[in-house]
Amino acid sequence: MGSLQYSSSKHGDVTLVSVSGSLDAETAPKFNEKLQNEINKGATKILCNLSNTDFIASAGLGVLISNNQALSKSGGEIRLAGLNEKIKKIFKVMGFINIFKIYNNNDDGIKSFK
Amino acid sequence: MREKEKNILSQQIPASFPELNKLKDEIVSALSQHNIQKEDIASVELAIYEVIANIIEHGPAEHRDKPVSINLCKNSDTIKVIIKNEGNRFDLTKAQLPDIVAHYKSGKNRGLGIYFIRTLMDNADYTYKDSFNILTLRKQVKTTN
């Protein structure tokens, strides 16, 4: 199975989610479940750090898109931080680099929600 | 003089995610050995992943145990990928591509796979012969030396 490691922490009202490994068709359901759990617990400002994500397929991106849209209905948002070069290039080629709000690191991402 | 096309990887795998994950590693290894730049390797790896994931997820049950064959060829500046699977006709080159901004706003969690394949690769050709889907993808690549 493609591997996915997930951790989360609270920084004021921002939930920082760190995803390591592969966000692919196989791991996307688990990632979706984890994000849904955060949202069900009340998270509205989610910063997703992808610095240790080594592969992202359309299914993984779809989880970010669908949860971001669901959150936007209640004024929330998913923002991204720490994209490594590989993931950044994929976002660029696919045209998503200017669609998501993307920050260099967690500090900048967390501050952006203030 | 243009380099003659050579086969750099031939595999036949069961249509399953564990096998697809192993194949990804083999693709990266084969392309790295030919000094393809990382950005192009990532694009080819992801495009092949999307094609086969689509076969695994959407192929009819009676074809689930049929293998998928992959051939990776290279000439001086182009990678050619041929993916062949037995199953119902599915021509992804005819599929309409989504408007990305509209797709994002719609919040759909699926439906980007074909967009990924067609955007990551330069060219896609499709034929259906003897109950086999044969998809040929091409991408011009840069080498690191």
Side-chain angles (χ1 to χ4, degrees), chain A residues 1-2 22 24-26 55-59 61-62 65-66 68-69 86 89-90 93-96 99-100, chain B residues 17 21 24 39 42 45-46 49-50 53 57 100-101 103-110 112-113 115-116 119-120:
Chain A
M1 177 174 181
S22 183
D24 56 32
E26 205 180 6
F55 185 77
I56 186 163
S58 62
L61 190 61
I65 291 171
S66 61
N68 185 50
Q69 277 313 109
K86 180 180 177 184
K89 280 175 182 163
I90 293 296
V93 171
M94 303 311 303
F96 283 95
I99 290 181
F100 281 96
Chain B
F17 282 113
N21 286 325
K24 269 172 53 193
E39 187 176 345
E45 176 197 18
L46 181 50
Y49 180 90
E50 293 289 347
E57 292 190 315
I100 283 308
V101 174
H103 185 97
Y104 174 78
K105 286 180 178 168
S106 75
K108 286 180 191 164
N109 68 344
R110 300 312 289 263
L112 285 174
Y115 170 77
F116 267 51
T119 305
L120 292 164

Side-chain angles (χ1 to χ4, degrees), chain B residues 22-46:
Chain B
K22 284 186 217 162
L23 175 70
K24 269 172 53 193
D25 294 340
E26 302 223 16
I27 292 165
V28 172
S29 172
L31 294 173
S32 300
Q33 282 171 25
H34 287 83
N35 303 315
I36 309 296
Q37 71 169 6
K38 283 183 181 175
E39 187 176 345
D40 291 330
I41 293 175
S43 293
V44 174
E45 176 197 18
L46 181 50

